[in-house]
Amino acid sequence: HDFFLDNADATDALGARLSDIRASRPNAVFLVRADAELQYDKLAKVLSAMNSAKITKLALVTKVDPKAKPPAP
């Protein structure tokens, strides 16, 4: 799986790119989106890189399955 920032491939320089973006846009909110096949350790790598870049404003983007049953009360 590849990592993208602002629609640009950042796989090889994830930490550096995150730091650069954070420095130029300190109030930016980062949206994290992953496909269902992504292994947890890959997501953990992204979150760790974000933490190292001192990114504190982030949101996990989810997609709701329209066929899914609502949670039980």
Side-chain angles (χ1 to χ4, degrees), residues 21-59:
I21 293 170
R22 168 74 169 74
S24 66
R25 294 183 269 171
N27 294 318
V29 176
F30 289 76
L31 304 177
V32 179
R33 180 178 59 216
D35 61 34
E37 290 80 33
L38 183 71
Q39 295 175 351
Y40 180 78
D41 64 323
K42 303 279 186 184
L43 178 58
K45 178 180 178 180
V46 171
L47 296 176
S48 177
M50 294 177 87
N51 186 52
S52 294
K54 301 199 180 349
I55 293 169
T56 58
K57 297 177 182 180
L58 66 106

PDB file of all heavy atoms in Angstrom, residues 21-59:
ATOM      1  N   ILE A  21       4.450  19.739   5.831  1.00  0.00           N
ATOM      2  CA  ILE A  21       3.077  20.241   5.765  1.00  0.00           C
ATOM      3  C   ILE A  21       2.693  20.888   7.085  1.00  0.00           C
ATOM      4  O   ILE A  21       2.101  21.965   7.130  1.00  0.00           O
ATOM      5  CB  ILE A  21       2.093  19.118   5.383  1.00  0.00           C
ATOM      6  CG1 ILE A  21       2.354  18.670   3.947  1.00  0.00           C
ATOM      7  CG2 ILE A  21       0.643  19.582   5.550  1.00  0.00           C
ATOM      8  CD1 ILE A  21       1.618  17.411   3.551  1.00  0.00           C
ATOM      9  N   ARG A  22       3.042  20.253   8.177  1.00  0.00           N
ATOM     10  CA  ARG A  22       2.734  20.790   9.510  1.00  0.00           C
ATOM     11  C   ARG A  22       3.399  22.148   9.710  1.00  0.00           C
ATOM     12  O   ARG A  22       2.808  23.067  10.254  1.00  0.00           O
ATOM     13  CB  ARG A  22       3.188  19.790  10.584  1.00  0.00           C
ATOM     14  CG  ARG A  22       3.205  20.293  12.004  1.00  0.00           C
ATOM     15  CD  ARG A  22       1.797  20.426  12.564  1.00  0.00           C
ATOM     16  NE  ARG A  22       1.791  20.666  13.985  1.00  0.00           N
ATOM     17  CZ  ARG A  22       2.107  21.810  14.583  1.00  0.00           C
ATOM     18  NH1 ARG A  22       2.528  22.820  13.890  1.00  0.00           N
ATOM     19  NH2 ARG A  22       2.019  21.934  15.889  1.00  0.00           N
ATOM     20  N   ALA A  23       4.635  22.290   9.249  1.00  0.00           N
ATOM     21  CA  ALA A  23       5.357  23.560   9.402  1.00  0.00           C
ATOM     22  C   ALA A  23       4.721  24.675   8.570  1.00  0.00           C
ATOM     23  O   ALA A  23       4.637  25.818   9.017  1.00  0.00           O
ATOM     24  CB  ALA A  23       6.824  23.374   9.006  1.00  0.00           C
ATOM     25  N   SER A  24       4.277  24.345   7.376  1.00  0.00           N
ATOM     26  CA  SER A  24       3.712  25.380   6.505  1.00  0.00           C
ATOM     27  C   SER A  24       2.236  25.652   6.791  1.00  0.00           C
ATOM     28  O   SER A  24       1.733  26.719   6.451  1.00  0.00           O
ATOM     29  CB  SER A  24       3.898  25.000   5.031  1.00  0.00           C
ATOM     30  OG  SER A  24       3.143  23.850   4.717  1.00  0.00           O
ATOM     31  N   ARG A  25       1.553  24.685   7.397  1.00  0.00           N
ATOM     32  CA  ARG A  25       0.123  24.866   7.726  1.00  0.00           C
ATOM     33  C   ARG A  25      -0.140  24.358   9.140  1.00  0.00           C
ATOM     34  O   ARG A  25      -0.726  23.293   9.330  1.00  0.00           O
ATOM     35  CB  ARG A  25      -0.742  24.103   6.718  1.00  0.00           C
ATOM     36  CG  ARG A  25      -0.652  24.661   5.312  1.00  0.00           C
ATOM     37  CD  ARG A  25      -1.558  23.930   4.372  1.00  0.00           C
ATOM     38  NE  ARG A  25      -0.808  22.821   3.790  1.00  0.00           N
ATOM     39  CZ  ARG A  25      -1.351  21.870   3.046  1.00  0.00           C
ATOM     40  NH1 ARG A  25      -2.631  21.857   2.809  1.00  0.00           N
ATOM     41  NH2 ARG A  25      -0.605  20.921   2.550  1.00  0.00           N
ATOM     42  N   PRO A  26       0.280  25.100  10.156  1.00  0.00           N
ATOM     43  CA  PRO A  26       0.191  24.615  11.539  1.00  0.00           C
ATOM     44  C   PRO A  26      -1.228  24.341  12.031  1.00  0.00           C
ATOM     45  O   PRO A  26      -1.405  23.558  12.964  1.00  0.00           O
ATOM     46  CB  PRO A  26       0.853  25.719  12.357  1.00  0.00           C
ATOM     47  CG  PRO A  26       0.885  26.909  11.486  1.00  0.00           C
ATOM     48  CD  PRO A  26       0.880  26.419  10.071  1.00  0.00           C
ATOM     49  N   ASN A  27      -2.224  24.928  11.419  1.00  0.00           N
ATOM     50  CA  ASN A  27      -3.604  24.699  11.855  1.00  0.00           C
ATOM     51  C   ASN A  27      -4.355  23.711  10.976  1.00  0.00           C
ATOM     52  O   ASN A  27      -5.572  23.559  11.115  1.00  0.00           O
ATOM     53  CB  ASN A  27      -4.367  26.028  11.910  1.00  0.00           C
ATOM     54  CG  ASN A  27      -3.810  26.933  12.982  1.00  0.00           C
ATOM     55  OD1 ASN A  27      -3.498  26.484  14.082  1.00  0.00           O
ATOM     56  ND2 ASN A  27      -3.650  28.203  12.663  1.00  0.00           N
ATOM     57  N   ALA A  28      -3.656  23.048  10.091  1.00  0.00           N
ATOM     58  CA  ALA A  28      -4.297  22.102   9.176  1.00  0.00           C
ATOM     59  C   ALA A  28      -4.864  20.909   9.944  1.00  0.00           C
ATOM     60  O   ALA A  28      -4.297  20.455  10.935  1.00  0.00           O
ATOM     61  CB  ALA A  28      -3.294  21.608   8.139  1.00  0.00           C
ATOM     62  N   VAL A  29      -5.985  20.419   9.455  1.00  0.00           N
ATOM     63  CA  VAL A  29      -6.575  19.181   9.972  1.00  0.00           C
ATOM     64  C   VAL A  29      -6.247  18.094   8.957  1.00  0.00           C
ATOM     65  O   VAL A  29      -6.510  18.246   7.761  1.00  0.00           O
ATOM     66  CB  VAL A  29      -8.102  19.310  10.147  1.00  0.00           C
ATOM     67  CG1 VAL A  29      -8.701  17.986  10.578  1.00  0.00           C
ATOM     68  CG2 VAL A  29      -8.433  20.408  11.153  1.00  0.00           C
ATOM     69  N   PHE A  30      -5.664  17.023   9.419  1.00  0.00           N
ATOM     70  CA  PHE A  30      -5.267  15.920   8.548  1.00  0.00           C
ATOM     71  C   PHE A  30      -6.359  14.857   8.557  1.00  0.00           C
ATOM     72  O   PHE A  30      -6.826  14.442   9.614  1.00  0.00           O
ATOM     73  CB  PHE A  30      -3.945  15.310   9.030  1.00  0.00           C
ATOM     74  CG  PHE A  30      -2.759  16.204   8.806  1.00  0.00           C
ATOM     75  CD1 PHE A  30      -2.529  17.300   9.615  1.00  0.00           C
ATOM     76  CD2 PHE A  30      -1.870  15.948   7.769  1.00  0.00           C
ATOM     77  CE1 PHE A  30      -1.440  18.129   9.412  1.00  0.00           C
ATOM     78  CE2 PHE A  30      -0.782  16.773   7.551  1.00  0.00           C
ATOM     79  CZ  PHE A  30      -0.560  17.861   8.376  1.00  0.00           C
ATOM     80  N   LEU A  31      -6.752  14.424   7.368  1.00  0.00           N
ATOM     81  CA  LEU A  31      -7.750  13.371   7.229  1.00  0.00           C
ATOM     82  C   LEU A  31      -7.035  12.081   6.861  1.00  0.00           C
ATOM     83  O   LEU A  31      -6.263  12.042   5.906  1.00  0.00           O
ATOM     84  CB  LEU A  31      -8.766  13.730   6.148  1.00  0.00           C
ATOM     85  CG  LEU A  31      -9.498  15.059   6.339  1.00  0.00           C
ATOM     86  CD1 LEU A  31     -10.429  15.321   5.168  1.00  0.00           C
ATOM     87  CD2 LEU A  31     -10.272  15.061   7.643  1.00  0.00           C
ATOM     88  N   VAL A  32      -7.304  11.025   7.616  1.00  0.00           N
ATOM     89  CA  VAL A  32      -6.677   9.725   7.383  1.00  0.00           C
ATOM     90  C   VAL A  32      -7.742   8.797   6.822  1.00  0.00           C
ATOM     91  O   VAL A  32      -8.766   8.555   7.453  1.00  0.00           O
ATOM     92  CB  VAL A  32      -6.093   9.138   8.689  1.00  0.00           C
ATOM     93  CG1 VAL A  32      -5.477   7.771   8.434  1.00  0.00           C
ATOM     94  CG2 VAL A  32      -5.081  10.095   9.294  1.00  0.00           C
ATOM     95  N   ARG A  33      -7.480   8.290   5.619  1.00  0.00           N
ATOM     96  CA  ARG A  33      -8.423   7.377   4.974  1.00  0.00           C
ATOM     97  C   ARG A  33      -7.651   6.136   4.533  1.00  0.00           C
ATOM     98  O   ARG A  33      -6.544   6.243   4.011  1.00  0.00           O
ATOM     99  CB  ARG A  33      -9.058   8.064   3.765  1.00  0.00           C
ATOM    100  CG  ARG A  33     -10.054   7.196   3.036  1.00  0.00           C
ATOM    101  CD  ARG A  33     -10.691   7.916   1.877  1.00  0.00           C
ATOM    102  NE  ARG A  33      -9.680   8.345   0.923  1.00  0.00           N
ATOM    103  CZ  ARG A  33      -9.736   9.483   0.241  1.00  0.00           C
ATOM    104  NH1 ARG A  33     -10.736  10.315   0.410  1.00  0.00           N
ATOM    105  NH2 ARG A  33      -8.784   9.796  -0.609  1.00  0.00           N
ATOM    106  N   ALA A  34      -8.237   4.965   4.741  1.00  0.00           N
ATOM    107  CA  ALA A  34      -7.588   3.715   4.351  1.00  0.00           C
ATOM    108  C   ALA A  34      -8.637   2.763   3.789  1.00  0.00           C
ATOM    109  O   ALA A  34      -9.805   2.821   4.172  1.00  0.00           O
ATOM    110  CB  ALA A  34      -6.903   3.082   5.554  1.00  0.00           C
ATOM    111  N   ASP A  35      -8.188   1.898   2.902  1.00  0.00           N
ATOM    112  CA  ASP A  35      -9.125   0.902   2.391  1.00  0.00           C
ATOM    113  C   ASP A  35      -9.239  -0.254   3.388  1.00  0.00           C
ATOM    114  O   ASP A  35      -8.441  -0.382   4.325  1.00  0.00           O
ATOM    115  CB  ASP A  35      -8.742   0.429   0.994  1.00  0.00           C
ATOM    116  CG  ASP A  35      -7.370  -0.243   0.930  1.00  0.00           C
ATOM    117  OD1 ASP A  35      -6.982  -0.914   1.897  1.00  0.00           O
ATOM    118  OD2 ASP A  35      -6.703  -0.098  -0.106  1.00  0.00           O
ATOM    119  N   ALA A  36     -10.235  -1.085   3.196  1.00  0.00           N
ATOM    120  CA  ALA A  36     -10.532  -2.165   4.142  1.00  0.00           C
ATOM    121  C   ALA A  36      -9.424  -3.206   4.225  1.00  0.00           C
ATOM    122  O   ALA A  36      -9.294  -3.905   5.232  1.00  0.00           O
ATOM    123  CB  ALA A  36     -11.857  -2.841   3.762  1.00  0.00           C
ATOM    124  N   GLU A  37      -8.610  -3.304   3.196  1.00  0.00           N
ATOM    125  CA  GLU A  37      -7.550  -4.322   3.181  1.00  0.00           C
ATOM    126  C   GLU A  37      -6.274  -3.890   3.901  1.00  0.00           C
ATOM    127  O   GLU A  37      -5.363  -4.679   4.069  1.00  0.00           O
ATOM    128  CB  GLU A  37      -7.203  -4.700   1.735  1.00  0.00           C
ATOM    129  CG  GLU A  37      -8.289  -5.486   1.024  1.00  0.00           C
ATOM    130  CD  GLU A  37      -9.407  -4.592   0.496  1.00  0.00           C
ATOM    131  OE1 GLU A  37      -9.111  -3.442   0.105  1.00  0.00           O
ATOM    132  OE2 GLU A  37     -10.553  -5.028   0.503  1.00  0.00           O
ATOM    133  N   LEU A  38      -6.205  -2.632   4.311  1.00  0.00           N
ATOM    134  CA  LEU A  38      -4.996  -2.137   4.951  1.00  0.00           C
ATOM    135  C   LEU A  38      -4.747  -2.854   6.275  1.00  0.00           C
ATOM    136  O   LEU A  38      -5.643  -2.966   7.112  1.00  0.00           O
ATOM    137  CB  LEU A  38      -5.100  -0.629   5.208  1.00  0.00           C
ATOM    138  CG  LEU A  38      -3.856   0.013   5.811  1.00  0.00           C
ATOM    139  CD1 LEU A  38      -2.738   0.052   4.780  1.00  0.00           C
ATOM    140  CD2 LEU A  38      -4.158   1.399   6.312  1.00  0.00           C
ATOM    141  N   GLN A  39      -3.541  -3.334   6.457  1.00  0.00           N
ATOM    142  CA  GLN A  39      -3.185  -3.992   7.707  1.00  0.00           C
ATOM    143  C   GLN A  39      -2.991  -2.938   8.792  1.00  0.00           C
ATOM    144  O   GLN A  39      -2.523  -1.836   8.534  1.00  0.00           O
ATOM    145  CB  GLN A  39      -1.902  -4.804   7.537  1.00  0.00           C
ATOM    146  CG  GLN A  39      -2.059  -5.951   6.572  1.00  0.00           C
ATOM    147  CD  GLN A  39      -0.745  -6.671   6.336  1.00  0.00           C
ATOM    148  OE1 GLN A  39       0.317  -6.232   6.764  1.00  0.00           O
ATOM    149  NE2 GLN A  39      -0.813  -7.788   5.645  1.00  0.00           N
ATOM    150  N   TYR A  40      -3.356  -3.316  10.014  1.00  0.00           N
ATOM    151  CA  TYR A  40      -3.307  -2.381  11.138  1.00  0.00           C
ATOM    152  C   TYR A  40      -1.913  -1.782  11.320  1.00  0.00           C
ATOM    153  O   TYR A  40      -1.788  -0.600  11.623  1.00  0.00           O
ATOM    154  CB  TYR A  40      -3.763  -3.077  12.422  1.00  0.00           C
ATOM    155  CG  TYR A  40      -3.735  -2.154  13.603  1.00  0.00           C
ATOM    156  CD1 TYR A  40      -4.738  -1.214  13.796  1.00  0.00           C
ATOM    157  CD2 TYR A  40      -2.683  -2.196  14.518  1.00  0.00           C
ATOM    158  CE1 TYR A  40      -4.709  -0.346  14.870  1.00  0.00           C
ATOM    159  CE2 TYR A  40      -2.646  -1.331  15.593  1.00  0.00           C
ATOM    160  CZ  TYR A  40      -3.653  -0.412  15.765  1.00  0.00           C
ATOM    161  OH  TYR A  40      -3.620   0.444  16.816  1.00  0.00           O
ATOM    162  N   ASP A  41      -0.871  -2.552  11.125  1.00  0.00           N
ATOM    163  CA  ASP A  41       0.480  -2.027  11.346  1.00  0.00           C
ATOM    164  C   ASP A  41       0.816  -0.897  10.377  1.00  0.00           C
ATOM    165  O   ASP A  41       1.581   0.005  10.707  1.00  0.00           O
ATOM    166  CB  ASP A  41       1.534  -3.136  11.289  1.00  0.00           C
ATOM    167  CG  ASP A  41       1.661  -3.803   9.937  1.00  0.00           C
ATOM    168  OD1 ASP A  41       0.629  -3.990   9.260  1.00  0.00           O
ATOM    169  OD2 ASP A  41       2.789  -4.160   9.566  1.00  0.00           O
ATOM    170  N   LYS A  42       0.218  -0.905   9.199  1.00  0.00           N
ATOM    171  CA  LYS A  42       0.443   0.191   8.248  1.00  0.00           C
ATOM    172  C   LYS A  42      -0.227   1.471   8.756  1.00  0.00           C
ATOM    173  O   LYS A  42       0.345   2.554   8.682  1.00  0.00           O
ATOM    174  CB  LYS A  42      -0.110  -0.154   6.866  1.00  0.00           C
ATOM    175  CG  LYS A  42       0.451  -1.401   6.264  1.00  0.00           C
ATOM    176  CD  LYS A  42       1.777  -1.151   5.647  1.00  0.00           C
ATOM    177  CE  LYS A  42       2.217  -2.420   4.921  1.00  0.00           C
ATOM    178  NZ  LYS A  42       3.516  -2.319   4.358  1.00  0.00           N
ATOM    179  N   LEU A  43      -1.433   1.338   9.293  1.00  0.00           N
ATOM    180  CA  LEU A  43      -2.119   2.492   9.872  1.00  0.00           C
ATOM    181  C   LEU A  43      -1.349   2.996  11.087  1.00  0.00           C
ATOM    182  O   LEU A  43      -1.183   4.204  11.271  1.00  0.00           O
ATOM    183  CB  LEU A  43      -3.551   2.134  10.258  1.00  0.00           C
ATOM    184  CG  LEU A  43      -4.361   3.243  10.918  1.00  0.00           C
ATOM    185  CD1 LEU A  43      -4.456   4.468  10.018  1.00  0.00           C
ATOM    186  CD2 LEU A  43      -5.731   2.739  11.297  1.00  0.00           C
ATOM    187  N   ALA A  44      -0.854   2.088  11.894  1.00  0.00           N
ATOM    188  CA  ALA A  44      -0.068   2.475  13.068  1.00  0.00           C
ATOM    189  C   ALA A  44       1.180   3.247  12.645  1.00  0.00           C
ATOM    190  O   ALA A  44       1.577   4.204  13.315  1.00  0.00           O
ATOM    191  CB  ALA A  44       0.312   1.241  13.878  1.00  0.00           C
ATOM    192  N   LYS A  45       1.782   2.867  11.523  1.00  0.00           N
ATOM    193  CA  LYS A  45       2.963   3.575  11.017  1.00  0.00           C
ATOM    194  C   LYS A  45       2.607   5.020  10.665  1.00  0.00           C
ATOM    195  O   LYS A  45       3.352   5.949  10.979  1.00  0.00           O
ATOM    196  CB  LYS A  45       3.518   2.849   9.790  1.00  0.00           C
ATOM    197  CG  LYS A  45       4.712   3.516   9.165  1.00  0.00           C
ATOM    198  CD  LYS A  45       5.213   2.747   7.957  1.00  0.00           C
ATOM    199  CE  LYS A  45       6.376   3.465   7.315  1.00  0.00           C
ATOM    200  NZ  LYS A  45       6.892   2.761   6.150  1.00  0.00           N
ATOM    201  N   VAL A  46       1.472   5.211  10.017  1.00  0.00           N
ATOM    202  CA  VAL A  46       1.030   6.554   9.646  1.00  0.00           C
ATOM    203  C   VAL A  46       0.759   7.378  10.898  1.00  0.00           C
ATOM    204  O   VAL A  46       1.204   8.527  11.011  1.00  0.00           O
ATOM    205  CB  VAL A  46      -0.228   6.497   8.755  1.00  0.00           C
ATOM    206  CG1 VAL A  46      -0.826   7.881   8.557  1.00  0.00           C
ATOM    207  CG2 VAL A  46       0.107   5.848   7.425  1.00  0.00           C
ATOM    208  N   LEU A  47       0.033   6.814  11.857  1.00  0.00           N
ATOM    209  CA  LEU A  47      -0.283   7.545  13.082  1.00  0.00           C
ATOM    210  C   LEU A  47       0.977   7.869  13.869  1.00  0.00           C
ATOM    211  O   LEU A  47       1.092   8.953  14.455  1.00  0.00           O
ATOM    212  CB  LEU A  47      -1.275   6.747  13.927  1.00  0.00           C
ATOM    213  CG  LEU A  47      -2.653   6.538  13.279  1.00  0.00           C
ATOM    214  CD1 LEU A  47      -3.529   5.649  14.158  1.00  0.00           C
ATOM    215  CD2 LEU A  47      -3.326   7.854  12.964  1.00  0.00           C
ATOM    216  N   SER A  48       1.937   6.975  13.878  1.00  0.00           N
ATOM    217  CA  SER A  48       3.206   7.224  14.558  1.00  0.00           C
ATOM    218  C   SER A  48       3.969   8.362  13.871  1.00  0.00           C
ATOM    219  O   SER A  48       4.532   9.238  14.540  1.00  0.00           O
ATOM    220  CB  SER A  48       4.050   5.956  14.567  1.00  0.00           C
ATOM    221  OG  SER A  48       5.302   6.203  15.155  1.00  0.00           O
ATOM    222  N   ALA A  49       3.980   8.365  12.540  1.00  0.00           N
ATOM    223  CA  ALA A  49       4.651   9.437  11.804  1.00  0.00           C
ATOM    224  C   ALA A  49       3.962  10.775  12.074  1.00  0.00           C
ATOM    225  O   ALA A  49       4.627  11.802  12.218  1.00  0.00           O
ATOM    226  CB  ALA A  49       4.656   9.125  10.308  1.00  0.00           C
ATOM    227  N   MET A  50       2.642  10.749  12.171  1.00  0.00           N
ATOM    228  CA  MET A  50       1.906  11.977  12.484  1.00  0.00           C
ATOM    229  C   MET A  50       2.254  12.465  13.882  1.00  0.00           C
ATOM    230  O   MET A  50       2.448  13.659  14.099  1.00  0.00           O
ATOM    231  CB  MET A  50       0.399  11.739  12.342  1.00  0.00           C
ATOM    232  CG  MET A  50      -0.026  11.463  10.908  1.00  0.00           C
ATOM    233  SD  MET A  50      -1.770  11.092  10.758  1.00  0.00           S
ATOM    234  CE  MET A  50      -2.405  12.767  10.593  1.00  0.00           C
ATOM    235  N   ASN A  51       2.362  11.561  14.817  1.00  0.00           N
ATOM    236  CA  ASN A  51       2.729  11.913  16.179  1.00  0.00           C
ATOM    237  C   ASN A  51       4.141  12.513  16.221  1.00  0.00           C
ATOM    238  O   ASN A  51       4.372  13.524  16.882  1.00  0.00           O
ATOM    239  CB  ASN A  51       2.628  10.688  17.088  1.00  0.00           C
ATOM    240  CG  ASN A  51       2.858  11.016  18.525  1.00  0.00           C
ATOM    241  OD1 ASN A  51       2.238  11.920  19.075  1.00  0.00           O
ATOM    242  ND2 ASN A  51       3.761  10.278  19.163  1.00  0.00           N
ATOM    243  N   SER A  52       5.057  11.909  15.491  1.00  0.00           N
ATOM    244  CA  SER A  52       6.436  12.416  15.444  1.00  0.00           C
ATOM    245  C   SER A  52       6.499  13.807  14.831  1.00  0.00           C
ATOM    246  O   SER A  52       7.349  14.612  15.207  1.00  0.00           O
ATOM    247  CB  SER A  52       7.324  11.468  14.634  1.00  0.00           C
ATOM    248  OG  SER A  52       7.447  10.226  15.301  1.00  0.00           O
ATOM    249  N   ALA A  53       5.593  14.092  13.902  1.00  0.00           N
ATOM    250  CA  ALA A  53       5.542  15.413  13.269  1.00  0.00           C
ATOM    251  C   ALA A  53       4.727  16.403  14.106  1.00  0.00           C
ATOM    252  O   ALA A  53       4.483  17.518  13.681  1.00  0.00           O
ATOM    253  CB  ALA A  53       4.948  15.293  11.867  1.00  0.00           C
ATOM    254  N   LYS A  54       4.310  15.963  15.289  1.00  0.00           N
ATOM    255  CA  LYS A  54       3.540  16.796  16.223  1.00  0.00           C
ATOM    256  C   LYS A  54       2.192  17.247  15.649  1.00  0.00           C
ATOM    257  O   LYS A  54       1.715  18.341  15.917  1.00  0.00           O
ATOM    258  CB  LYS A  54       4.362  17.985  16.687  1.00  0.00           C
ATOM    259  CG  LYS A  54       5.651  17.549  17.378  1.00  0.00           C
ATOM    260  CD  LYS A  54       6.234  18.607  18.216  1.00  0.00           C
ATOM    261  CE  LYS A  54       7.498  18.245  18.933  1.00  0.00           C
ATOM    262  NZ  LYS A  54       7.982  16.939  19.012  1.00  0.00           N
ATOM    263  N   ILE A  55       1.604  16.353  14.874  1.00  0.00           N
ATOM    264  CA  ILE A  55       0.274  16.609  14.314  1.00  0.00           C
ATOM    265  C   ILE A  55      -0.756  16.167  15.340  1.00  0.00           C
ATOM    266  O   ILE A  55      -0.752  15.012  15.780  1.00  0.00           O
ATOM    267  CB  ILE A  55       0.093  15.860  12.986  1.00  0.00           C
ATOM    268  CG1 ILE A  55       1.029  16.461  11.951  1.00  0.00           C
ATOM    269  CG2 ILE A  55      -1.368  15.905  12.529  1.00  0.00           C
ATOM    270  CD1 ILE A  55       1.145  15.666  10.680  1.00  0.00           C
ATOM    271  N   THR A  56      -1.602  17.099  15.741  1.00  0.00           N
ATOM    272  CA  THR A  56      -2.614  16.793  16.755  1.00  0.00           C
ATOM    273  C   THR A  56      -4.034  16.926  16.229  1.00  0.00           C
ATOM    274  O   THR A  56      -4.975  16.507  16.894  1.00  0.00           O
ATOM    275  CB  THR A  56      -2.453  17.712  17.975  1.00  0.00           C
ATOM    276  OG1 THR A  56      -2.565  19.079  17.554  1.00  0.00           O
ATOM    277  CG2 THR A  56      -1.091  17.495  18.651  1.00  0.00           C
ATOM    278  N   LYS A  57      -4.178  17.499  15.063  1.00  0.00           N
ATOM    279  CA  LYS A  57      -5.509  17.680  14.484  1.00  0.00           C
ATOM    280  C   LYS A  57      -5.680  16.678  13.348  1.00  0.00           C
ATOM    281  O   LYS A  57      -5.150  16.859  12.255  1.00  0.00           O
ATOM    282  CB  LYS A  57      -5.682  19.100  13.962  1.00  0.00           C
ATOM    283  CG  LYS A  57      -5.594  20.145  15.054  1.00  0.00           C
ATOM    284  CD  LYS A  57      -5.698  21.527  14.479  1.00  0.00           C
ATOM    285  CE  LYS A  57      -5.546  22.553  15.588  1.00  0.00           C
ATOM    286  NZ  LYS A  57      -5.631  23.915  15.070  1.00  0.00           N
ATOM    287  N   LEU A  58      -6.399  15.592  13.641  1.00  0.00           N
ATOM    288  CA  LEU A  58      -6.614  14.589  12.624  1.00  0.00           C
ATOM    289  C   LEU A  58      -7.989  13.966  12.790  1.00  0.00           C
ATOM    290  O   LEU A  58      -8.594  14.026  13.855  1.00  0.00           O
ATOM    291  CB  LEU A  58      -5.542  13.504  12.670  1.00  0.00           C
ATOM    292  CG  LEU A  58      -5.501  12.607  13.904  1.00  0.00           C
ATOM    293  CD1 LEU A  58      -6.044  11.247  13.569  1.00  0.00           C
ATOM    294  CD2 LEU A  58      -4.073  12.505  14.395  1.00  0.00           C
ATOM    295  N   ALA A  59      -8.467  13.413  11.708  1.00  0.00           N
ATOM    296  CA  ALA A  59      -9.750  12.723  11.713  1.00  0.00           C
ATOM    297  C   ALA A  59      -9.610  11.465  10.868  1.00  0.00           C
ATOM    298  O   ALA A  59      -8.919  11.469   9.850  1.00  0.00           O
ATOM    299  CB  ALA A  59     -10.841  13.622  11.144  1.00  0.00           C
TER     300      ALA A  59
END
